[in-house]
Amino acid sequence: MASRAPNNEASNNSGVIEDVTEASEEQVVSPWEVSAKDGGKIDYDKLIDKFGCQRLDRSLIDRVEKITNRPPHVFLRRGVFFAHRDINEILDAYEKGDKFYLYTGRGPSSEALHLGHLVPFMFTKYLQDAFKVPLVIQLTDDEKCLWKNLSVEESQRLARENAKDIIACGFDVSKTFIFSDFDYVGGAFYKNMVKVAKCVTYNKVVGIFGFTGEDHIGKISFPPVQAVPSFPSSFPHIFHGKDNIRCLIPCAIDQDPYFRMTRDVAPRLGYNKPSLIESLFFPALQGESGKMSASDPNSAIYVTDTAKDIKSKINKYAFSGGQDTKEKQMMYGANLEVDIPIKYLGFFLEDDAEYEYIRKEYGAGRMLTGDVKKRLIEVLTVLVERHRRARAAVTDEMVDAFMAVRPLPNMFC
C-alpha cells in the first residue's frame, strides 16, 4: 500500500499512482462496493489516510463563507462533505479572479431516486449559486449498461428520467449542461478519452479499480469516460479557449479512485488537476451497517414516497439508538452514534439550534425516540413533497433545453 505523498496523491517515488483503493479485511470502498467487516461502520479517518485526501476543517469552511458572503451549506456545517483534494487551490484562484466550473454526475440505474442520491445535487446547487459558476452533469448511462446488465435503450430512458429529478433541484439552465454519455461522447470529448487511456496501463487500472480477469473489457475501458469531464476542452461549446479553467468535483468519497487516476494523468496532458470535495455515505434506514438497495424499498426514503410511506418507513425501519422502554430512556438516554433519525436530521434539519437541542435532549433522556421520529417525518415529508412538486413541473422540453449542446454565455454571472 502506498504512503501519502507530499502532494496528497498516493504515489510511489516515480509519481505513478499505486493501488490505493480501500480493500482490506476491515472495509471495501470502491465506486461499485461499499462494505465494512462484520457489518460495521466505515472508518472515514482510515479512508482519508489510505486515499491520500485531506479532511475539510473549520478554517476552510470559514473561508468559503467569507469568499461567498453567505452562510455555509448545512452539509458543510455538519461535516457531511468532510474531505477534499486541493480545495485551497480553487479558493486561491477564485480570490484572484480566476473562475472555475463544477462537474458532478449520476449513474442512472433506477427510475426513482432516494434521498441519498439527492445529497450531491443539493450541495452542487449551493456551490453553483454561491460561486456563480457553470456546471456540467454527466449521466453515465453507458456505465450502468455495462455494470447493471441494462439494455442501451433502458439506460438512456432512465437517464432522462433521472435528469428530471436533477433539474427539480433548481439548477440554472443558463449555467448548466446535462449530458448523456451515449448521446454526447465523441469529438473533443473522445479525443481526451483516448489521451487518458494511453497514459493508464492495464496494471494500473487493475490496481486502482480492482478489476479481475472475469470483468469484460467494457468495464476496463470505462474510467477515461468519467475522467475527462474534468478537462474543459471536453466541452468546446462551453469553454472554447479556456483550457486552463479549473474544475471542482462534488461527489461521494467512493468515486475518489476515478479522480486519483485523473489527477495523475492531468499534468501530463497539460491540464490542471481537478479538485474534489467529498461526502460521507448516506446511511440506510436500518443503520450504518445496512445498505440501501433498489431490491429493498424499505431501506431508503424515495422521492416518490407519499407522506404515509415516509411515516411508515421511519416508524418501522429507522434504527433507533434509544432505549427499549420509556423508563430506561429517561435514565440512560439515547446512543446518538447509531441513531438513524438523528443522522437523517443531521442531513436535512437546517436549523442548527433546533438540531443541537434535539441531540442534547434525546441524548440525555429528556426526549423519547417517538418524538425524534415525529420531527424527522415532518422534515422529510416537506422535503419530498417540495421535490415532487418541482419534478412534476419538469417537462421533456426542459430536459431537452438542459441537454442541448450550446454555449452558456452568462455562465459566470
Side-chain angles (χ1 to χ4, degrees), residues 81-145:
F81 278 79
F82 74 105
H84 74 97
R85 291 184 183 273
D86 290 348
I87 193 77
N88 277 313
E89 293 191 11
I90 286 281
L91 298 179
D92 288 346
Y94 189 82
E95 285 186 313
K96 294 174 184 176
D98 296 331
K99 302 295 186 178
F100 63 92
Y101 74 99
L102 296 162
Y103 156 40
T104 194
R106 160 77 184 145
S109 60
S110 61
E111 191 154 334
L113 274 60
H114 58 61
L115 294 183
H117 293 141
L118 289 187
V119 166
F121 295 109
M122 294 169 70
F123 187 65
T124 302
K125 168 69 164 60
Y126 152 78
L127 292 174
Q128 183 182 58
D129 292 345
F131 288 97
K132 298 181 175 60
V133 291
L135 162 67
V136 296
I137 299 175
Q138 181 181 39
L139 300 174
T140 55
D141 42 8
D142 53 343
E143 177 196 20
K144 294 310 172 184
C145 181

Side-chain angles (χ1 to χ4, degrees), residues 2 13 17 42 48-49 60 93 99 102 150 158 191 195 197 231 253-254 256 264 274 286 288 308 324 327 330 339 370:
N13 291 333
I17 285 186
I42 295 297
I48 286 175
D49 184 55
L60 279 173
K99 302 295 186 178
L102 296 162
L150 297 171
L158 291 175
K191 289 177 185 177
K195 291 176 183 178
F231 302 156
I253 198 170
D254 61 332
D256 191 88
D264 180 60
Q286 287 79 1
E288 284 196 276
K308 183 178 179 181
D324 55 9
E327 291 73 21
M330 293 176 67
D339 192 89

Side-chain angles (χ1 to χ4, degrees), residues 44 55-58 61 73-83 278-281 346-347 355:
Y44 290 103
R55 186 166 282 280
L56 194 66
D57 60 25
R58 185 70 225 183
I61 297 171
H73 193 276
V74 63
F75 293 162
L76 280 178
R77 302 197 306 270
R78 307 267 172 82
V80 172
F81 278 79
F82 74 105
E278 301 176 313
S279 73
L280 307 167
F281 301 120
F347 278 81
Y355 176 63

